[in-house]
Amino acid sequence: SPVEWAARPADELPHLLEQLMMLCSAYWSLASSNRLLVVGAHPAAARLLWPERRELAAEVAPPHRLRTALARGVRGLVALDPLSDAAAPALAAALSLALCRLERVRREEPLAQPRVLLLSASAECPSASLRLTNAAFAAKKLEVAIDTVLLAPTADSISLQQLALSACGIGWHHAASPVTV
């Protein structure tokens, strides 16, 4: 949410993007068959940030290309009107977009084992709980594990914990652990 990022130190978002780049590079280096799909959520929209083209999920790409695409996509999301200070990011819409893409990947590659990593910097939003629960049930039915990481320093998210548990994933709260993401 742009409201959440505006309240944080200015260097935190670029630092997070660099760490996300390292995570993506490490993921790609685990196996040559790994594919990557990055979706961004904003209160006004959920957008595909990577791959840049109409691919279902991208194979290994040069790091500068991924960095440029993620930075451009995040800048575009942050520039959108946040609707209101209390607006929740469209996490459920982003998950739905990712699940649809992953199901299409699975049709082309039946042995694919999709997994979602959801990073959230926003505090709990009760109005999004039902939509996240529905996304968790859809992920479970599609056999897609969802891991969640909450980056909000002061709040906990029961919805994200339930999402991870329901979708056979792992839930982690950044503020509850001394390890940095």
Side-chain angles (χ1 to χ4, degrees):
S1 168
V3 175
E4 295 290 334
W5 286 111
R8 291 171 174 261
D11 67 334
E12 197 168 320
L13 182 59
H15 182 66
L16 177 68
L17 288 175
E18 281 304 312
Q19 290 182 344
L20 182 60
M21 282 294 306
M22 286 189 287
L23 177 69
C24 292
S25 295
Y27 173 75
W28 270 334
S29 69
L30 289 173
S32 62
S33 62
N34 283 351
R35 304 287 182 266
L36 184 65
L37 174 73
V38 180
V39 179
H42 179 280
R47 290 190 179 162
L48 183 65
L49 304 181
W50 181 262
E52 298 174 288
R53 298 183 302 274
R54 294 272 181 212
E55 304 169 64
L56 294 179
E59 296 179 359
V60 177
H64 69 277
R65 210 174 116 213
L66 177 60
R67 181 179 287 109
T68 302
L70 290 180
R72 182 180 34 240
V74 169
R75 277 194 307 270
L77 285 172
V78 170
L80 293 174
D81 181 17
L83 302 176
S84 77
D85 288 353
L91 289 180
L95 276 174
S96 295
L97 177 59
L99 291 172
C100 288
R101 288 288 202 133
L102 292 173
E103 182 58 21
R104 288 173 36 197
V105 167
R106 187 177 274 151
R107 286 184 187 150
E108 288 186 6
E109 300 176 33
L111 299 177
Q113 297 176 327
R115 186 169 202 107
V116 172
L117 173 62
L118 187 147
L119 299 172
S120 177
S122 302
E124 179 84 51
C125 180
S127 65
S129 294
L130 181 59
R131 293 184 296 253
L132 287 173
T133 301
N134 288 338
F137 288 136
K140 186 165 180 106
K141 182 172 177 62
L142 295 171
E143 297 177 350
V144 175
I146 299 177
D147 301 317
T148 63
V149 176
L150 179 62
L151 300 173
T154 58
D156 199 3
S157 176
I158 300 299
S159 297
L160 291 183
Q161 289 174 7
Q162 289 176 338
L163 175 67
L165 289 172
S166 298
C168 303
I170 299 167
W172 188 68
H173 184 192
H174 171 66
S177 173
V179 179
T180 59
V181 173

